[in-house]
Amino acid sequence: GLDTVLDDIEIVDLDTRYTVERPLGEGGMGAVVLATDTRLGRKVAIKQIRNGSARSKSAIARFQIEAKAIAAISHPNVIQIYDFGVTKTGPFLVIEYIDGGSLLDRCKRGAIPLEEAVEIFVQICQGLGRSHDLGIVHRDIKPANILLTKDGIAKLTDFGLAKAEAADHGMTMAGAVMGTPDFMPPEQRQDAALVDHRSDLWSLAAAFYQAVSGRSPKVIRLHELPQALQPIMSKALEDEKDARYQSAKEFRDALKSILQAGSAKPAVFEGELQEGQCKACGTVNLDLSRKFCKKCVASLRMACLACDVQIPVWDKICGECGGNQPVLFESKHTQISGQKASAKALAADLAFDKAIGIAEEIAKETHPELAVFVSWSKSFIESTNAERDRQQALSAERLKDGQKHFAAFDYAAAIQAIEAIPESLRIGKASKLLTDCRSLQDESVRLVEKITIRIKRTELEGLLPLVSRAVELRGDRQDLLKIRQKLEERRDKKLSLAQAAMEAGDARTAAATLAGVVAEDLGAVGGDLLKRVQRAAALEVLLAEGIKSSKADSVVTNDEARGLLVLCDEYLLLNPQGVKVQAIREQLLKRQE
């Protein structure tokens, strides 16, 4: 039969937890269906290998690679994985369901507006950057593998061809070609073994080309792209890896620069204004003392950018402080452009409060030539507040998922749910739950390993507290519950035999029954019995030795009798049912009469 590393994974029945609703798509090896997770009440996508591929080593290996890659990345712009396992028909993945379709679906409706495309690919750069930081190369980036939510969040999916740069585990043979031809960089078409993270950036640029041009990248016509985009795409699509952008962050920042250049072009002084000329409509007002244009009523005064004194709009030099207005304007524009870029970068990193704080500062600007920034800041604050609310709601949903998994003792799933919350939002309950899950998961793993070893060695004394704690941590483990039940039955039997021996006045037999038993196994009541049994057995030995000593000379003196009576009284306090000792006590009392 086929020898795979899946042989030791438990076979599960997906129908016990998931209700399949409809197919989402099919590929060469597998099919994806939309389903409802009945335990958590959410929509999921289930990907399964189909037909002959279910017995293919390479297909199964790719499935495992995809599962491990997605789980390791855990980023808002990379599809989430909820579960991985094996059914009777082969392995499966349970992944996040994205409700907005793929970028390919969007491209089929025509070219995407540049600003919208940049926003999508900036997000993908962030997810891909996280993947590359972990040494994971995707190797199959294309519009079909970029999914979009209805809220505009972009997510990278399908890591089936991914490889770890440090160790490819034999998945890539020299000379092999893997991926989708139109989106493959030159080195990948030549030999998949030559691929590294910069190869993904070429593919990403090719996908971006299709998005903004509406055409396949099989033939790339850079001269038909917007002029501001041409140098960026030229660098991104270089044949030599060393000539391209060297990181996803570099490519992301280059794309962002397009938005910054296009959305806030510097306001400029168009030509030379005559004295008295209105900047708004061009009318020349002969009365230079006027404050408002006689034709359009626009202000003929503006605040000096250096000292805030009101000066005529046609004056380049402030008569109060000597400030050069065009120079000051360019400096102010550059400063605010930098603030805007910082605010957008902070928002992209989910540092919403800091981003909004910067935008609020921009909104205070009163210079009419900088009104475009004020307008932008108000829109930015509104959209950032909405995104913060969305991210917080999503984080709350993931926290709820984590709590449900925690309650079901599924620490790994709980950790995955909480780690899907962006780190900047992972505070309070989420942070504590993540810490608790990691701690309890580690503790449960160590306990189960220790219990397994001790059972194999038949080292049962002192094991019950460990098993009881393991049950607290893993209440879903029926094997642990059974072990605890057997240990409790074993303990109860020993306690019952010891109690019967005590009642028969035979503490030494009771002590032998409990020999080797540790107090931790017995609990409070059993521990007290153990102490009484051990002391009573010691007293029986002392009584026997005292009586033997007295009989040696056939005379029991009053002092010897009193000493033996003290031992008898202590024993009977420990075990009032001790018939033999009660009889000895009565005999000693008679001798004293």
Side-chain angles (χ1 to χ4, degrees), residues 285 289-301:
N285 296 269
S289 66
R290 291 184 67 93
K291 293 184 177 179
F292 296 95
C293 176
K294 65 183 179 182
K295 182 177 181 181
C296 71
V297 200
S299 176
L300 298 176
R301 296 289 183 269

Side-chain angles (χ1 to χ4, degrees), residues 113-292:
L114 181 59
E115 185 167 343
E116 181 185 345
V118 169
E119 293 290 352
I120 290 170
F121 279 81
V122 162
Q123 294 180 62
I124 294 301
C125 281
Q126 290 167 177
L128 188 60
R130 170 66 174 164
S131 172
H132 290 169
D133 287 344
L134 295 170
I136 297 170
V137 182
H138 188 285
R139 300 203 292 187
D140 196 21
I141 294 175
K142 55 187 177 183
N145 288 339
I146 295 173
L147 302 182
L148 305 172
T149 71
K150 289 181 179 178
D151 297 328
I153 305 301
K155 292 178 180 276
L156 187 59
T157 188
D158 202 343
F159 281 75
L161 295 182
K163 80 163 183 173
E165 289 187 298
D168 195 14
H169 304 296
M171 281 297 297
T172 304
M173 295 183 295
V177 175
M178 307 176 75
T180 305
D182 289 356
F183 299 92
M184 275 196 236
E187 67 274 11
Q188 192 168 350
R189 297 177 196 178
Q190 176 186 347
D191 187 343
L194 301 176
V195 167
D196 66 17
H197 67 283
R198 295 168 296 179
S199 308
D200 277 350
L201 300 182
W202 195 100
S203 300
L204 192 64
F208 183 76
Y209 175 83
Q210 178 165 337
V212 297
S213 70
R215 295 175 177 169
S216 164
K218 181 175 288 187
V219 177
I220 295 175
R221 302 177 178 90
L222 291 181
H223 66 279
E224 295 181 0
L225 296 177
Q227 189 171 0
L229 183 56
Q230 290 178 21
I232 293 172
M233 293 299 287
S234 177
K235 181 173 182 177
L237 294 167
E238 285 280 1
D239 285 352
E240 297 298 326
K241 290 186 286 187
D242 290 342
R244 298 172 199 158
Y245 293 105
Q246 298 299 293
S247 71
K249 182 179 183 299
E250 276 189 33
F251 188 35
R252 180 199 70 182
D253 291 345
L255 292 176
K256 282 183 175 182
S257 71
I258 301 172
L259 291 185
Q260 293 160 10
S263 62
K265 292 179 179 177
V268 295
F269 293 94
E270 297 177 358
E272 296 286 337
L273 288 177
Q274 301 177 33
E275 284 193 345
Q277 188 171 19
C278 173
K279 188 169 180 61
C281 68
T283 299
V284 177
N285 296 269
L286 298 178
D287 181 359
L288 300 183
S289 66
R290 291 184 67 93
K291 293 184 177 179
F292 296 95

Side-chain angles (χ1 to χ4, degrees), residues 387-398:
E387 177 62 11
R388 175 172 57 187
D389 293 344
R390 194 190 73 81
Q391 287 286 352
Q392 288 176 342
L394 184 58
S395 297
E397 181 183 337
R398 288 168 175 164

Side-chain angles (χ1 to χ4, degrees), residues 438-472:
R438 286 170 174 166
S439 174
L440 296 182
Q441 184 183 45
D442 289 345
E443 184 184 354
S444 64
V445 169
R446 290 195 304 270
L447 270 178
V448 170
E449 287 177 353
K450 185 181 292 186
I451 290 167
T452 302
I453 291 170
R454 291 189 57 173
I455 288 176
K456 285 181 179 178
R457 296 175 178 173
T458 325
E459 297 173 359
L460 304 183
E461 305 306 339
L463 186 58
L464 182 55
L466 299 182
V467 175
S468 297
R469 175 58 178 164
V471 168
E472 289 178 15

Side-chain angles (χ1 to χ4, degrees), residues 509-522:
T509 297
T513 302
L514 297 179
V517 175
V518 295
E520 290 80 5
D521 278 339
L522 302 177

